[in-house]
Amino acid sequence: MGGLEEEKHARYIVSVEKKKDDFEALVIEHLRMNGAYWGLTTLDLLNKIGAIDVDAVVSWVMECQDKDCGGFAGNLGHDPHLLYTISAVQVLALLDRLDLLDIEKVSDYVAGLQNEDGSFSGDMWGEIDTRFSYCAICCLSLLGRLSKINVEKAVNYIVSCKNLDGGFGTIPGGESHAGQIFCCVGALAITGSLHHVDRDLLGWWLCERQCKDGGLNGRPEKLADVCYSWWVLSSLIMIDRVHWIDKEKLTRFILNCQDKDNGGISDRPDNAVDVFHTYFGVAGLSLMEYPGLKTIDPAYALPVDVVNRIFFRK
Amino acid sequence: MHGRPRKDPRPKDDAAKAAHLRELQAQLLHNHRNRTYTKEALASCSKLLEINPEVYTAWNYRKLALQHNLDGVDDPDALKSAIEDELRVVEIALRTNPKSYAAWYHRKWVLSRRLMPVEFEREFRLLDLLLNADQRNFHGWNYRRFVAKLKNVPEEEELKFTKKMIDTNFSNYSAWHNRSALLSHLLKKKSQGFDSKKNTLTEEYELVHDALFTDQSDQSGWFYHLWLLDQTVCLDDPQLISSWPTHKSDLILSESNKIDGCQLFPSSNSRSFSLLHTGTFPIILYFNKAVKNIDSSTVIVSSVFVTNEDLNWRPLSTNNSGEACCWVTFLTVPEENCSSSTSYPVEVCLDRYKDIVSSDVSDCKIPSKFTFTVTFRSHSLEQTSKESVEENVVWKYVDICNPQESPCLMSFDQLSINEDHAEEGFKWNLQTLSNEIELFREFNDEDSKFVKLTLARLLVARDLMVPNGSHNHIKTHSGEVLTLYDDLMKLDPSHKRYYEDEQSVVLMDQLTSDKDSLTKHCWQFDEPTSSSFHCQYCLWLNELSLTRIGSVKNILWVQMLDLSHNKLRSVEGLEALQLLACLNLSNNQISSFTALEPLKLLSSLRVLDVSFNMIGAHAIDTTRYLCSSPLSHTLDAKQLNVGYEKENTEVRDHWEVTSLFRALRLTQLDIKGNAVLNEKFSVLAIELLPSLKWLDGKHVR
């Protein structure tokens, strides 16, 4: 069955970055900022970030910033939103160009989206979701401005989204879902609040995501999908329960989802590949210490050397 | 991005499709930038959203358009028509992607404007359509909750809806989840019809049994059953379940390292503890769940040599929550010459127990108090308080000394919790557990993982509810549980390490709860010539394949603990052992310094052996966020920087070991056999541990 096709995946990502005009690319044009984060982080994990024209990337990122409010859009001409602001900050952190930011402006934008009850809206239109709590907390933490929000209230809101099965949903009462769990556990980790998590209960719910084919699903009775190799795995690592899944089987599942001819990784074996799943597959392998890959931090979703550089600066 | 086959025979009009989409997207951005909100512009936008409902900027544009076009408009027909358009665009978008966050939110936003009264029938019809097509669509369930709230639908009605969904299809985790959330809320409010938790739970057990035995492989019902079990065993109120010193014990405390042999004292409750030269000794309180508000006003310690108000109580947790299962305070040994054997009685009383609360805001309902006596034996004048340079502690196994009457026996005369009171209150709970156990034992012939796992959990829960040593004591089920976990490891090898952990906790509990078995593992350390640790009470728990420690409530008296040759990855639980001076963790699976965080709370720890573990062998640190660090805003990075700028080493390469060693006062460390060890590391260790005298068997100071 063979191993990871590092070269092919790197080439696939670089090619996707250039291909902007076919239907698939147009459909996700509005989230190109996320795509940049997925693609570049994957290249860095594969130790191939040298393939990138850093100046071109950072200048495009900065062009996507809304000059009035300071938030970042998914692409030129689109509206600012937390989902793209976090990706922009992560990309700049990855490329060690956070110096380009007016940190006060960006952090004011993010902090301004916190609501009375501690939750976060994604943008001025008011949609509330624990994904946005993660985006805000991760972003402000990377910028060293976590104190701009009411952390206690933010934590309490996340805790209010905790379910009886130990997991977390989008809003209070929302069903547990691995993606939301990652966001909530990540936010709690970054704010030193993991004691609110019942690690045994949640750990068991998460380890039960492993299906017979070795892959992980996002919630009970659903199909396995490579992206859950990140959401579930990083959550398990943050709560020190990752030894409860079978890593060899999961590794084989991820490797089976590769397109060994053209590069890229898909959600399930023999499906179409995309950057999203390529990133999550490689990141998942990194979390399992697959040889040759850089180590990724489970909470900040950036390489450990990038995170350490930011937090242990002399 | 999901579910598309790789070799997809693409239709040849892909280029045309792309051109069309590009056109529509360009138009949208153009109209948005120019604030053009004409009918044509909106129509173009609708076409775009039908093809690609994920373009969030298009939904923003529609909101701006609505606000603009309805500004100052009162005419109800105009309002109705505008809102109709929006709702229809959402419905069309949901046909393309029923899980579009942006589409659902737009509908919610439009209705929340309250420009027109909501047509609830229409909303519920849409929901029925979507939830029948996909019962697991959580967007639908979330939206349903939103509409139900708008309409003020009582929770009992929504509960009926969940039953309807479950009856249609048992495999409906979403429905079970919503049911548990609603019930939980109704029970808490004690709404009419839900004032008896027992009755409600009994009905739910019946409902879930139907599901479980219809299709055992479907997971949904099992998770629900676990919740019911949790409701049945949950002893809401926090209680004191163990302490050191134990109730009715007689302590003889000495700081001498030259005691004349290890003497037995007349009273069977007497124990001689030789303590380190700290001038203090601890009182440890161990609760059944994490509590807060333990301080000198909620706990009163009375004795002639104690000033209660001066006592500081500390939670033994590795986080900043201010809550812990275990709390400690240190009493100062009186200065005066107590060469006579005066026994000081000490009373510890949880006086204002109602103020002691756990995080689910239940308070302590049962007052507790315990008493013990303490006698201080001073050292003779020749020996000063300086710790003499002792020999390297070697963990010998055999010939140490006769297993004497050890302090472990004292731990069984624990606080007298009113057991009758406990049993009366929990008659229904115990009966329900027994019923469930019987039911699942019946079904245990089949090789169902969930049946076995549930049975194991039921048995463990049953044992937990019947405290040890009670007059109604039923033989524990640990044997049966251990066998079940063995079966599970064979049935479900992917989750082997989960079952190992569960088994380990039960094994540890079994070992430390049974007087006979515990005695076999207890020893007194006999090194009269030199050691500070002479006569300390030791517990040997090596080579037991332990992967996890579990509860230490019965071994709070331990001073030397040998856990070598196990499979431990974590030392969580050890923080309660405030008397621990020597710890052997060699030949385990500790893979990072951050995993040793609980040791920072052991102020008496002097000798640590972590040799032959995996520290430095793993790139991924699974306890990175479970310790104090700048990454989680629980430690200032500057604190790690101080004094360490030697050579080319950067703090960020060594922050874990710097943070840990700074908090320990070790005199002896064994660390060989770990990947992290090298010359540079040894230099660092010696620098960070100023009291260190022995490193890997070599004298360093």
Side-chain angles (χ1 to χ4, degrees):
Chain A
M1 186 207 59
L4 183 66
E5 298 283 349
E6 283 123 355
E7 281 295 333
K8 299 221 166 90
H9 297 320
R11 259 180 272 138
Y12 167 73
I13 289 170
V14 172
S15 76
V16 162
E17 194 263 331
K18 298 188 166 59
K19 225 190 329 173
K20 300 185 202 180
D21 294 320
D22 68 355
F23 187 77
E24 269 79 40
L26 285 169
V27 158
I28 55 170
E29 190 182 71
H30 62 280
L31 51 78
R32 192 173 170 80
M33 191 61 74
N34 292 154
Y37 159 71
W38 296 322
L40 294 169
T41 310
T42 309
L43 286 175
D44 199 20
L45 293 176
L46 293 168
N47 293 295
K48 296 200 185 332
I49 194 95
I52 282 308
D53 180 348
V54 174
D55 289 327
V57 171
V58 304
S59 103
W60 166 78
V61 168
M62 294 312 292
E63 262 194 277
C64 291
Q65 186 176 27
D66 183 300
K67 303 296 177 267
D68 296 319
C69 68
F72 285 80
N75 206 340
L76 303 167
H78 284 268
D79 289 345
H81 194 284
L82 266 185
L83 288 172
Y84 310 111
T85 306
I86 173 70
S87 287
V89 170
Q90 283 171 315
V91 166
L92 293 174
L94 188 73
L95 301 175
D96 202 5
R97 297 310 313 271
L98 285 171
D99 59 290
L100 290 172
L101 284 177
D102 175 348
I103 293 189
E104 300 316 315
K105 186 150 192 175
V106 182
S107 46
D108 283 341
Y109 167 74
V110 174
L113 289 166
Q114 185 172 33
N115 300 307
E116 253 318 295
D117 61 359
S119 67
F120 284 86
S121 299
D123 62 11
M124 59 179 275
W125 296 107
E127 183 189 359
I128 293 174
D129 188 319
T130 46
R131 287 178 298 152
F132 308 146
S133 298
Y134 172 76
C135 292
I137 286 169
C138 181
C139 187
L140 289 172
S141 183
L142 288 170
L143 297 174
R145 297 290 185 279
L146 199 57
S147 52
K148 285 199 175 182
I149 58 166
N150 185 326
V151 175
E152 195 186 330
K153 278 192 173 179
V155 168
N156 288 343
Y157 179 76
I158 292 171
V159 173
S160 77
C161 297
K162 187 166 54 162
N163 291 318
L164 299 166
D165 53 18
F168 295 84
T170 55
I171 48 173
E175 186 187 337
S176 298
H177 179 281
Q180 308 297 145
I181 289 170
F182 163 75
C183 291
C184 293
V185 173
L188 292 175
I190 293 172
T191 54
S193 316
L194 280 174
H195 51 271
H196 291 289
V197 176
D198 183 336
R199 290 156 49 213
D200 289 332
L201 183 61
L202 178 58
W204 181 67
W205 190 94
L206 286 169
C207 81
E208 280 292 322
R209 297 306 104 240
Q210 187 154 40
C211 307
K212 287 205 167 68
D213 58 9
L216 304 177
N217 62 24
R219 41 185 182 139
E221 302 304 313
K222 287 262 165 180
L223 293 173
D225 181 329
V226 155
C227 64
Y228 295 112
S229 309
W230 171 263
W231 308 122
V232 173
L233 211 54
S234 58
S235 303
L236 281 169
I237 285 178
M238 287 189 272
I239 60 173
D240 192 20
R241 294 288 179 266
V242 70
H243 58 289
W244 285 356
I245 61 151
D246 185 329
K247 290 190 205 167
E248 280 80 44
K249 278 183 102 176
L250 177 60
T251 300
R252 267 177 275 138
F253 177 82
I254 297 174
L255 293 174
N256 258 343
C257 292
Q258 299 178 96
D259 181 338
K260 308 199 99 164
D261 301 318
N262 306 310
I265 298 178
S266 56
D267 56 348
R268 240 158 260 137
D270 300 322
N271 270 357
V273 303
D274 55 55
V275 179
F276 177 85
H277 289 96
T278 306
Y279 162 72
F280 288 115
V282 173
L285 290 171
S286 166
L287 287 178
M288 292 191 287
E289 298 174 23
Y290 191 85
L293 295 178
K294 252 197 185 183
T295 313
I296 192 167
D297 180 291
Y300 291 94
L302 285 168
V304 167
D305 62 341
V306 172
V307 176
N308 284 356
R309 184 211 306 146
I310 292 172
F311 288 94
F312 295 104
R313 211 186 305 266
K314 273 233 211 24
Chain B
M1 281 187 287
H2 288 94
R4 293 175 299 129
R6 192 167 293 172
K7 307 265 191 280
D8 193 14
R10 281 255 140 241
K12 274 168 240 133
D13 55 351
D14 199 38
K17 261 173 76 179
H20 183 53
L21 182 58
R22 199 179 312 125
E23 169 83 35
L24 289 171
Q25 293 193 157
Q27 276 174 17
L28 166 73
L29 294 183
H30 175 81
N31 292 331
H32 185 45
R33 186 168 43 247
N34 295 330
R35 302 177 208 207
T36 308
Y37 305 126
T38 60
K39 257 201 162 85
E40 293 76 28
L42 281 169
S44 162
C45 176
S46 305
K47 285 209 205 89
L48 170 59
L49 286 172
E50 186 175 358
I51 300 172
N52 189 1
E54 302 317 310
V55 186
Y56 69 102
T57 306
W59 294 106
N60 294 350
Y61 166 78
R62 293 201 78 87
K63 294 181 180 69
L64 285 166
L66 193 69
Q67 285 179 330
H68 177 267
N69 292 339
L70 293 182
D71 187 26
V73 172
D74 290 329
D75 175 23
D77 287 329
L79 287 174
K80 191 161 195 264
S81 161
I83 289 170
E84 264 299 311
D85 285 345
E86 295 312 302
L87 296 182
R88 203 167 336 124
V89 170
V90 170
E91 279 154 34
I92 293 170
L94 288 178
R95 257 186 249 145
T96 308
N97 180 8
K99 299 183 188 177
S100 168
Y101 286 93
W104 284 105
Y105 182 66
H106 189 70
R107 198 176 185 90
K108 209 171 152 177
W109 183 86
V110 168
L111 292 186
S112 303
R113 296 299 100 203
R114 307 280 199 160
L115 295 165
M116 294 283 306
V118 176
E119 274 180 72
F120 287 110
E121 262 193 45
R122 178 188 186 158
E123 298 309 308
F124 281 110
R125 243 197 335 260
L126 174 66
L127 279 167
D128 280 340
L129 194 70
L130 286 159
L131 281 177
N132 282 333
D134 177 6
Q135 295 168 345
R136 301 298 303 282
N137 187 339
F138 65 81
H139 299 270
W141 283 96
N142 286 352
Y143 187 74
R144 194 189 163 92
R145 211 172 294 116
F146 162 73
V147 172
K149 193 162 178 209
L150 264 185
K151 195 183 179 206
N152 273 320
V153 176
E155 281 172 319
E156 291 85 338
E157 280 296 311
E158 285 302 286
L159 196 67
K160 288 199 191 111
F161 177 74
T162 65
K163 177 115 192 335
K164 189 173 128 203
M165 296 298 270
I166 289 166
D167 285 343
T168 316
N169 181 3
F170 279 134
S171 171
N172 198 329
Y173 193 92
S174 308
W176 288 108
H177 158 76
N178 278 280
R179 192 172 180 80
S180 66
L182 288 163
L183 272 176
S184 210
H185 202 232
L186 287 164
L187 286 171
K188 218 185 205 157
K189 285 194 316 195
K190 296 208 197 293
S191 296
Q192 207 191 28
F194 296 93
D195 42 352
S196 163
K197 195 172 176 187
K198 300 177 192 169
N199 292 343
T200 306
L201 288 178
T202 306
E203 279 173 29
E204 293 306 305
Y205 270 114
E206 275 176 37
L207 178 64
V208 83
H209 286 158
D210 281 338
L212 297 180
F213 300 119
T214 304
D215 179 5
Q216 275 177 31
S217 62
D218 186 273
Q219 296 195 340
S220 326
W222 293 104
F223 284 91
Y224 192 73
H225 188 271
L226 181 59
W227 174 66
L228 291 178
L229 176 62
D230 193 55
Q231 295 301 295
T232 311
V233 305
C234 200
L235 301 172
D236 293 323
D237 308 328
Q239 265 180 33
L240 190 66
I241 55 173
S242 183
S243 71
W244 190 87
T246 55
H247 187 43
K248 296 196 218 143
S249 58
D250 297 317
L251 294 181
I252 297 110
L253 299 179
S254 159
E255 288 191 354
S256 168
N257 55 4
K258 287 200 196 300
I259 301 180
D260 317 317
C262 308
Q263 297 168 24
L264 271 178
F265 283 81
S267 151
S268 66
N269 275 328
S270 267
R271 294 293 177 272
S272 180
F273 275 84
S274 88
L275 299 179
L276 299 177
H277 299 267
T278 54
T280 62
F281 72 96
I283 295 182
I284 309 171
L285 300 178
Y286 199 108
F287 293 86
N288 59 344
K289 51 181 12 182
V291 291
K292 57 184 180 205
N293 297 342
I294 300 289
D295 56 39
S296 55
S297 67
T298 49
V299 179
I300 312 290
V301 180
S302 335
S303 189
V304 290
F305 68 95
V306 174
T307 314
N308 187 62
E309 297 72 52
D310 291 346
L311 292 180
N312 278 324
W313 285 92
R314 185 188 178 185
L316 292 171
S317 67
T318 53
N319 59 61
N320 299 347
S321 62
E323 280 182 14
C325 276
C326 206
W327 287 75
V328 70
T329 192
F330 287 88
L331 303 187
T332 314
V333 172
E335 285 285 327
E336 78 250 28
N337 187 0
C338 18
S339 50
S340 64
S341 315
T342 326
S343 291
Y344 295 91
V346 181
E347 183 190 83
V348 180
C349 184
L350 268 65
D351 201 36
R352 281 174 44 203
Y353 51 91
K354 290 213 174 64
D355 290 333
I356 298 168
V357 291
S358 58
S359 53
D360 54 4
V361 206
S362 26
D363 54 340
C364 215
K365 299 227 169 38
I366 305 166
S368 302
K369 92 171 165 203
F370 61 97
T371 57
F372 59 93
T373 62
V374 60
T375 312
F376 301 104
R377 280 183 50 194
S378 66
H379 30 79
S380 64
L381 292 164
E382 303 143 42
Q383 287 136 35
T384 57
S385 55
K386 179 163 100 63
E387 282 181 44
S388 58
V389 178
E390 61 280 352
E391 297 281 302
N392 188 29
V393 167
V394 174
W395 297 81
K396 299 186 290 203
Y397 299 101
V398 237
D399 320 346
I400 294 213
C401 78
N402 328 317
Q404 304 188 15
E405 290 280 329
S406 59
C408 66
L409 301 178
M410 296 193 301
S411 53
F412 295 97
D413 281 339
Q414 281 292 351
L415 318 141
S416 44
I417 299 165
N418 192 338
E419 280 144 11
D420 293 323
H421 168 282
E423 291 215 18
E424 252 318 295
F426 300 125
K427 248 204 183 117
W428 174 85
N429 308 65
L430 289 170
Q431 189 55 53
T432 304
L433 275 181
S434 296
N435 295 343
E436 291 296 298
I437 288 170
E438 231 186 88
L439 183 66
F440 282 92
R441 271 188 181 142
E442 240 184 79
F443 282 93
N444 192 18
D445 304 329
E446 304 160 37
D447 274 336
S448 160
K449 139 185 164 178
F450 278 104
V451 168
K452 287 189 194 287
L453 182 57
T454 305
L455 182 56
R457 286 173 171 161
L458 285 164
L459 293 168
V460 168
R462 184 76 174 80
D463 284 348
L464 253 173
M465 287 197 77
V466 180
N468 247 74
S470 86
H471 59 272
N472 247 344
H473 179 60
I474 300 160
K475 198 114 174 73
T476 67
H477 300 100
S478 348
E480 195 180 342
V481 174
L482 292 171
T483 309
L484 281 166
Y485 280 119
D486 280 335
D487 293 345
L488 282 162
M489 284 187 237
K490 292 193 205 99
L491 251 183
D492 182 19
S494 283
H495 294 118
K496 175 171 185 223
R497 299 189 66 189
Y498 169 71
Y499 302 125
E500 274 182 347
D501 275 0
E502 293 290 279
Q503 201 182 46
S504 188
V505 169
V506 171
L507 181 64
M508 180 86 175
D509 193 59
Q510 187 188 47
L511 274 169
T512 59
S513 300
D514 178 56
K515 286 186 200 186
D516 298 324
S517 89
L518 194 56
T519 314
K520 287 198 204 94
H521 294 267
C522 287
W523 305 82
Q524 215 166 2
F525 193 59
D526 185 24
E527 203 64 57
T529 51
S530 54
S531 176
S532 285
F533 311 111
H534 176 57
C535 275
Q536 291 207 327
Y537 291 106
C538 324
L539 190 60
W540 304 102
L541 294 177
N542 45 327
E543 285 176 23
L544 296 168
S545 293
L546 291 173
T547 59
R548 204 173 153 166
I549 289 164
S551 171
V552 300
K553 71 182 201 293
N554 286 326
I555 56 171
L556 295 176
W557 46 267
V558 166
Q559 296 173 290
M560 288 182 72
L561 180 59
D562 187 338
L563 284 165
S564 65
H565 296 274
N566 277 297
K567 298 184 195 167
L568 295 171
R569 325 172 32 261
S570 132
V571 297
E572 276 185 323
L574 290 186
E575 63 274 3
L577 302 178
Q578 290 297 297
L579 293 171
L580 196 64
C582 306
L583 176 62
N584 187 348
L585 291 168
S586 74
N587 291 282
N588 273 287
Q589 293 174 6
I590 312 278
S591 59
S592 64
F593 285 114
T594 57
L596 297 174
E597 181 88 352
L599 302 185
K600 287 183 182 175
L601 295 164
L602 299 179
S603 48
S604 302
L605 191 67
R606 296 290 176 272
V607 173
L608 177 64
D609 186 345
V610 290
S611 60
F612 300 102
N613 273 281
M614 299 168 170
I615 304 175
H618 286 283
I620 292 284
D621 182 358
T622 59
T623 37
R624 185 168 158 89
Y625 288 95
L626 295 169
C627 66
S628 296
S629 89
L631 302 161
S632 57
H633 303 274
T634 44
L635 184 71
D636 196 340
K638 292 194 204 79
Q639 288 180 300
L640 292 172
N641 264 328
V642 172
Y644 197 76
E645 302 260 347
K646 293 262 159 76
E647 297 168 34
N648 295 321
T649 33
E650 301 236 30
V651 169
R652 66 172 180 243
D653 296 335
H654 296 290
W655 69 270
E656 293 101 331
V657 65
T658 305
S659 170
L660 177 68
F661 281 7
R662 281 251 182 75
L664 301 177
R665 280 186 289 160
L666 301 178
T667 55
Q668 177 179 330
L669 174 67
D670 282 80
I671 197 155
K672 62 184 179 289
N674 282 289
V676 77
L677 186 64
N678 58 33
E679 269 270 350
K680 242 188 202 176
F681 180 86
S682 306
V683 171
L684 175 59
I686 294 168
E687 161 134 7
L688 292 169
L689 295 165
S691 319
L692 196 70
K693 300 191 177 76
W694 299 95
L695 179 63
D696 285 328
K698 292 203 196 65
H699 202 258
V700 295
R701 274 197 182 90

